[in-house]
Amino acid sequence: MRSKLQKFTDFAGRLLPHETGYLLDIQHFDDKVKLAILQRADHNCRRPDAFIAFDEGIDKRKYSNLKQWMIERLRAIDVDEQHAWLLEVERQIETDRITPEAEARLLELLAGASPPDFHFVKLYELARYYRHFLLIRMRYADHRTAEEFLERHRGAYERAVEVREQLHRATLDIVRQYSGEGVQSLHWENWLNNVFYDEALDGWNRYMALVRLTFIYYNYRNFEPLREKYDYQDALFRKGQYYSSRLLTNYYGNRLLLHIRFQEFDEAEYYGYLSIRVKTADYIHYVNNLCTVLLRRKKYAEALAVMKTALPESKTTHSFHNKIGFVAAYLRCLNYTGQHRAAENYAE
């Protein structure tokens, strides 16, 4: 029988622990019932194995209002949402169709934004487009706001752009080594560490530095330094910094790989399930990695259930590597559960 709170339960089932943890930290509810619902959502998010159903005796409007509050608070700090908005405003400016609401928000951003913001570089470039739009219309006061922002942060912008270029040069060496071309990449470690820990830099550069450091340590099979770095990133996510469900999912997927290296399979499985809670472009990649962990733990039925859920996405992924990996893992699941004929048919 379908629960009266099925929509809210489904919504809460897609939440991630860092999301509910952040929401609990920022809430100032006088309503103890709403707080209890949020706390239960947080519990279920972290302990799906000990799920507690939501109380159907509570007024459904409280669930509806709480859901809207959660969506709005997470959207307000979502760096992917911010990037999409910046791109939309750029389109509006370039086509002379910027709305009054967008202008008001953009001017507010220019007054309060700073170089450590995740998409600082994109905002800076948008401000350059915007000043042209303003000046030709003789809107001198708003033009002065844009000019002052550009002048104030020119040095930070130029440094951020240079770091991006250097990141690309580092990536060439890192990926070539990963591909077995005999190139070394360890000489980039110190520079990337400095970028990652530099709180004056934009978040995009810092997170990209972490991704490249991860590759380097995998290249040299030196995983211990990653513990401290991922714990540091974890603390940023807990404070709502550099948040998006996509970045969190990527973080969970990387944590799975890290815990596998240390034979910490409970933790690897935990993060593996978190990595597939939200379907991103790398969903099949994360499914394959989780399946590897489950099979290693002889949880054959659970692994097969995960693979069956992901079957539709496995057929549409553009990554041939992930598709082949999925097929191989799915065949193993079928064989381990005694479905040899089904495995043979699927293999053909």
Side-chain angles (χ1 to χ4, degrees):
M1 183 177 177
R2 186 176 175 84
S3 167
K4 295 177 182 178
L5 299 173
Q6 193 62 51
K7 285 186 178 180
F8 184 86
T9 301
D10 291 343
F11 163 75
R14 293 188 295 272
L15 291 170
L16 301 168
H18 285 84
E19 294 175 330
T20 55
Y22 169 76
L23 292 171
L24 279 171
D25 284 344
I26 66 166
Q27 62 79 29
H28 297 287
F29 292 148
D30 293 325
D31 188 333
K32 289 184 169 52
V33 175
K34 279 188 179 179
L35 177 57
I37 296 170
L38 180 56
Q39 289 171 333
R40 182 162 298 186
D42 180 65
H43 166 83
N44 289 341
C45 180
R46 298 173 189 278
R47 292 289 311 277
D49 58 317
F51 178 85
I52 302 174
F54 293 101
D55 187 349
E56 294 187 7
I58 297 172
D59 188 338
K60 285 181 66 176
R61 286 174 295 184
K62 287 191 183 291
Y63 286 100
S64 179
N65 292 338
L66 178 62
K67 176 182 175 182
Q68 190 59 36
W69 178 87
M70 295 166 79
I71 290 172
E72 290 173 359
R73 295 304 180 280
L74 291 175
R75 185 173 291 160
I77 62 167
D78 190 327
V79 297
D80 287 351
E81 290 276 348
Q82 293 164 11
H83 188 254
W85 185 83
L86 291 170
L87 290 176
E88 171 57 21
V89 173
E90 181 180 318
R91 185 190 67 80
Q92 290 181 16
I93 291 172
E94 291 287 274
T95 57
D96 295 332
R97 294 180 178 180
I98 186 168
T99 65
E101 295 79 13
E103 281 205 76
R105 180 177 170 186
L106 179 55
L107 287 166
E108 186 179 343
L109 277 176
L110 295 181
S114 62
D117 292 346
F118 196 87
H119 292 301
F120 165 74
V121 169
K122 186 62 190 173
L123 177 61
Y124 191 94
E125 292 169 350
L126 179 60
R128 293 198 300 203
Y129 290 123
Y130 187 45
R131 67 176 175 174
H132 291 294
F133 175 89
L134 294 168
L135 188 58
I136 199 65
R137 289 164 176 79
M138 293 177 283
R139 290 174 50 188
Y140 300 123
D142 291 338
H143 178 265
R144 188 161 53 250
T145 298
E147 276 291 314
E148 288 173 354
F149 172 82
L150 292 169
E151 276 298 315
R152 185 165 63 251
H153 297 305
R154 177 176 287 120
Y157 169 75
E158 290 172 351
R159 178 168 180 250
V161 170
E162 175 54 33
V163 169
R164 287 191 177 206
E165 289 301 311
Q166 192 80 326
L167 274 172
H168 181 67
R169 290 190 282 272
T171 307
L172 289 173
D173 286 347
I174 294 166
V175 171
R176 287 175 65 192
Q177 181 180 8
Y178 189 81
S179 301
E181 295 184 28
V183 177
Q184 298 301 305
S185 61
L186 191 60
H187 57 283
W188 289 106
E189 180 188 13
N190 288 338
W191 181 81
L192 289 167
N193 268 317
N194 290 334
V195 171
F196 176 59
Y197 288 114
D198 189 345
E199 295 181 357
L201 264 176
D202 61 295
W204 189 93
N205 270 324
R206 296 180 68 192
Y207 193 78
M208 291 304 106
L210 176 61
V211 172
R212 281 142 186 80
L213 281 166
T214 301
F215 264 87
I216 285 178
Y217 293 130
Y218 273 79
N219 282 344
Y220 291 95
R221 303 191 65 78
N222 178 24
F223 307 111
E224 191 60 43
L226 283 175
R227 282 189 183 275
E228 188 273 337
K229 290 172 178 57
Y230 277 108
D231 288 344
Y232 179 90
Q233 184 63 45
D234 184 88
L236 294 179
F237 281 141
R238 289 181 189 278
K239 292 186 288 187
Q241 290 183 247
Y242 309 154
Y243 157 78
S244 81
S245 60
R246 173 184 62 87
L247 291 176
L248 273 181
T249 299
N250 177 255
Y251 165 76
Y252 295 144
N254 286 334
R255 293 282 319 216
L256 173 148
L257 295 173
L258 179 62
H259 288 296
I260 286 177
R261 300 300 177 181
F262 289 101
Q263 307 288 303
E264 296 165 353
F265 297 115
D266 284 342
E267 292 87 347
E269 182 179 334
Y270 172 75
Y271 283 109
Y273 273 111
L274 289 179
S275 73
I276 66 170
R277 194 171 289 181
V278 177
K279 293 182 180 179
T280 67
D282 296 312
Y283 174 65
I284 294 301
H285 172 65
Y286 300 143
V287 164
N288 291 345
N289 289 339
L290 173 58
C291 184
T292 298
V293 173
L294 293 173
L295 290 177
R296 192 163 187 169
R297 308 193 79 189
K298 295 182 169 53
K299 295 186 175 183
Y300 304 132
E302 291 93 328
L304 180 59
V306 167
M307 301 304 279
K308 283 186 173 181
T309 300
L311 266 174
E313 286 76 17
S314 74
K315 297 174 182 177
T316 58
T317 178
H318 294 294
S319 170
F320 188 71
H321 175 78
N322 287 339
K323 186 173 289 190
I324 290 297
F326 181 91
V327 171
Y330 189 50
L331 292 176
R332 291 175 66 199
C333 289
L334 290 172
N335 278 322
Y336 279 128
T337 54
Q339 303 177 63
H340 307 301
R341 179 62 61 85
E344 184 178 348
N345 291 338
Y346 189 74
E348 294 226 2

